[in-house]
Amino acid sequence: MAHVRPKRGHFIVFETLDKHMVTPPASQRCVILMTFTTEKAKDNPEYRDAMRFLNDLDEEKVRKLHIDHLKRIEEIKDEGVSIVQSGQELHGKERFVADGLMTEGECQKLISLLEAGGLEGDGYRGDKSPLTHNEVFTGLSAERAQKRGGLEGDGYKGKTESGPNKISPHTNLEMFEGITVGRATQLVRSGKLPKDLVQLFLRKSEQARVLVENFFNLTRPLYFDFTHLVCRTAIEEDNEERRDLSHPVHADNCLIQPDGSCLRQFPAYIARDYSAVLYLNGNPDFMGGEFFFAHGNRTEQVTVPPRCGRMVGFNAGDYHGVRAVTKGRRCAIAMWYTMDPNTQELARLQAWKKMAPQNVVQGETLGSGEENEKFDYFEEAEERNVNKEGANFLTEKKDIGINIKIHVEANDLDSEHLQNNDISEKELEFVKETYNKNGVRDNGNRKNNKHGEL
């Protein structure tokens, strides 16, 4: 006689005529019992009725969402936004190009935000570049931002690297500058950036998210996975003979294989579902720099020339790249979205909490509308079975909790909170130990992001 020990999730299948029995359990045992037949006449009508009812509910929900999305798209169009290309025009199912999301004045303000608080290099490691020894990075940690402006090296571990140029991570013929939401927020707190510029950064990127969510008629909310305002500048002017790319062909959530397929697995950012890029300038500020969708063999499929207020939205698995910037400086906001609230951009949650414009409804800023209010470190510790005492401390210190989390990820949590008397040295070490040894999620460590800016 064969014995099968009960275990959660086990699915046991056998013929009805097979002899079987169940031994008395020592405690409560719960199962779902199903019987099947090959005779249609004996099919259980109650089950089929229940399935039809549930399917009808789902269809009604989708129908209402579709109507809501259409209404929201019309409202967006009334605000001056127009969809200029989509679908088959761009040779893909989930792609669109929209114009009118920003005015020239707003574009120039965001470029000035980068000029005031940006750093040369994208700042993912303390090396010259995570990709090649021929490139130089510079960067700035949040703690370092409290003291002064940019430093050479990325600032995560205080490393420095000298060099005449701060070269792009993708080509040694362009310089690269960038600023994240988290860095911009820290610079506002330290008085080095005006609050209204960062509010504009948050508001315009949020409008982009709303457009993506509604245009693609999604039945689940989108959350920000990462936001980066970036500029690329040609080192040699009028270099029209260039044959390299400003950003090689890639996908944002999978790794392209030699046969043209794409594997959605680590180290790709597999949580990303959709992407968008919102341009801040175009010709004549720079030459080249066109965004393009690509075939599986990495050849160009269709190109999109940048201009102020133009946005490209697409599925994160679509192949795309950027042509070489042969002259001038090209600036844009790159955004990646996820449907998983557990991987959303924590720095953005904190930024909205501190600086959300009063005319922006909280529900619209986060996608689902409740995550910021319900963000509780003790609940997170309950889910992940980590140090409860540490979680209690973070909940008690909730106003600085998200900042603490971000600093720990960057290994930079030290002087800022100690100087402000937010936490003691003993508490600081306790928080570090809680996060570094007990596995609270790090929101997708950004130090090794090679699949990023558009």
Side-chain angles (χ1 to χ4, degrees):
M1 179 181 295
H3 295 268
V4 179
R5 185 180 297 275
K7 185 177 181 180
R8 183 175 60 186
H10 270 190
F11 184 51
I12 304 171
V13 182
F14 54 90
E15 292 189 16
T16 307
L17 296 178
D18 290 345
K19 294 182 179 180
H20 56 280
M21 62 175 293
V22 178
T23 57
S27 58
Q28 186 181 46
R29 183 178 72 98
C30 299
V31 300
I32 298 176
L33 180 63
M34 295 166 281
T35 58
F36 305 99
T37 178
T38 57
E39 299 180 39
K40 188 174 182 179
K42 295 182 180 181
D43 193 16
N44 188 336
E46 293 180 355
Y47 174 82
R48 296 301 170 192
D49 289 343
M51 289 299 299
R52 277 194 292 269
F53 175 73
L54 293 175
N55 287 335
D56 289 343
L57 285 180
D58 285 341
E59 290 177 2
E60 179 64 16
K61 177 183 176 181
V62 171
R63 188 185 68 82
K64 289 181 178 179
L65 281 173
H66 180 60
I67 293 174
D68 290 341
H69 288 321
L70 291 177
K71 289 180 178 178
R72 188 68 185 97
I73 290 294
E74 290 304 314
E75 292 172 357
I76 292 172
K77 289 181 178 179
D78 290 341
E79 295 168 2
V81 176
S82 59
I83 306 298
V84 295
Q85 285 180 294
S86 63
Q88 292 183 350
E89 298 173 279
L90 297 172
H91 304 282
K93 293 182 179 179
E94 291 187 301
R95 301 173 180 177
F96 73 89
V97 177
D99 283 343
L101 273 81
M102 298 180 67
T103 65
E104 288 289 344
E106 290 171 331
C107 287
Q108 290 305 312
K109 284 183 178 180
L110 287 185
I111 292 176
S112 71
L113 167 65
L114 184 63
E115 292 170 346
L119 52 98
E120 292 177 315
D122 70 353
Y124 292 123
R125 293 185 180 180
D127 308 324
K128 290 182 180 180
S129 165
L131 304 181
T132 170
H133 64 276
N134 293 320
E135 302 171 358
V136 179
F137 273 24
T138 62
L140 187 68
S141 68
E143 186 269 331
R144 184 83 175 190
Q146 300 293 323
K147 301 176 181 178
R148 69 182 189 88
L151 68 152
E152 292 175 341
D154 73 350
Y156 280 131
K157 297 184 178 180
K159 295 183 180 180
T160 61
E161 197 66 59
S162 297
N165 296 316
K166 313 308 181 288
I167 308 301
S168 164
H170 309 295
T171 172
N172 59 10
L173 297 177
E174 296 175 16
M175 290 190 295
F176 191 96
E177 309 157 85
I179 187 168
T180 63
V181 169
R183 172 177 159 76
T185 304
Q186 289 293 338
L187 291 176
V188 169
R189 291 182 60 193
S190 64
K192 296 179 179 177
L193 280 181
K195 185 176 179 179
D196 64 322
L197 285 185
V198 181
Q199 288 178 331
L200 179 63
F201 185 18
L202 293 171
R203 188 171 67 251
K204 289 302 175 179
S205 54
E206 169 61 13
Q207 288 177 356
R209 184 201 65 80
V210 171
L211 180 55
V212 171
E213 184 178 276
N214 285 274
F215 184 83
F216 289 135
N217 195 27
L218 302 181
T219 57
R220 294 166 58 192
L222 278 184
Y223 305 88
F224 280 93
D225 176 79
F226 198 48
T227 314
H228 205 183
L229 197 166
V230 293
C231 288
R232 306 160 186 268
T233 305
I235 294 176
E236 298 181 12
E237 293 292 311
D238 298 320
N239 190 355
E240 297 181 1
E241 302 300 319
R242 282 179 57 184
R243 292 293 179 264
D244 64 329
L245 295 174
S246 181
H247 197 138
V249 173
H250 64 286
D252 291 334
N253 63 6
C254 57
L255 304 174
I256 301 180
Q257 303 303 299
D259 63 359
S261 62
C262 204
L263 297 182
R264 195 166 181 176
Q265 64 183 31
F266 182 83
Y269 286 87
I270 57 177
R272 294 175 176 174
D273 296 298
Y274 291 88
S275 305
V277 53
L278 176 58
Y279 296 104
L280 304 182
N281 62 349
N283 194 320
D285 290 352
F286 63 89
M287 300 295 291
E290 294 91 346
F291 174 97
F292 65 89
F293 290 109
H295 297 283
N297 62 2
R298 305 183 187 233
T299 58
E300 288 189 14
Q301 193 176 42
V302 60
T303 62
V304 180
R307 58 182 291 184
C308 167
R310 170 166 289 177
M311 188 183 95
V312 183
F314 54 96
N315 188 294
D318 286 352
Y319 298 178
H320 57 283
V322 179
R323 286 181 179 177
V325 178
T326 58
K327 181 180 180 180
R329 184 186 190 211
R330 172 193 188 272
C331 298
I333 301 175
M335 296 161 283
W336 297 270
Y337 311 110
T338 177
M339 291 183 176
D340 182 1
N342 292 316
T343 61
Q344 63 182 311
E345 188 175 20
L346 296 181
R348 191 177 188 90
L349 294 179
Q350 179 70 345
W352 274 118
K353 179 181 177 182
K354 298 294 184 183
M355 292 188 296
Q358 294 182 355
N359 63 337
V360 178
V361 179
Q362 180 69 23
E364 293 181 354
T365 65
L366 297 177
S368 68
E370 298 182 2
E371 278 66 23
N372 204 22
E373 296 298 325
K374 294 183 178 180
F375 199 89
D376 191 302
Y377 286 94
F378 186 76
E379 292 179 359
E380 182 171 333
E382 286 280 295
E383 283 185 10
R384 302 177 182 276
N385 194 29
V386 301
N387 191 307
K388 302 296 193 298
E389 187 177 358
N392 273 326
F393 165 70
L394 289 173
T395 301
E396 180 183 346
K397 301 284 186 179
K398 199 165 187 177
D399 287 341
I400 63 168
I402 298 177
N403 274 335
I404 288 176
K405 190 168 187 179
I406 294 168
H407 282 280
V408 170
E409 292 171 8
N411 295 318
D412 280 325
L413 174 59
D414 44 42
S415 59
E416 176 193 354
H417 292 297
L418 292 176
Q419 290 172 359
N420 295 338
N421 296 317
D422 290 328
I423 57 178
S424 67
E425 290 188 16
K426 183 177 180 180
E427 289 172 326
L428 170 64
E429 293 305 316
F430 187 72
V431 173
K432 284 185 175 181
E433 181 179 356
T434 299
Y435 275 92
N436 294 340
K437 293 185 178 180
N438 291 287
V440 175
R441 67 183 174 85
D442 65 0
N443 194 32
N445 194 305
R446 309 296 176 188
K447 298 177 188 178
N448 299 321
N449 186 344
K450 299 180 182 178
H451 308 286
E453 301 68 27
L454 302 172

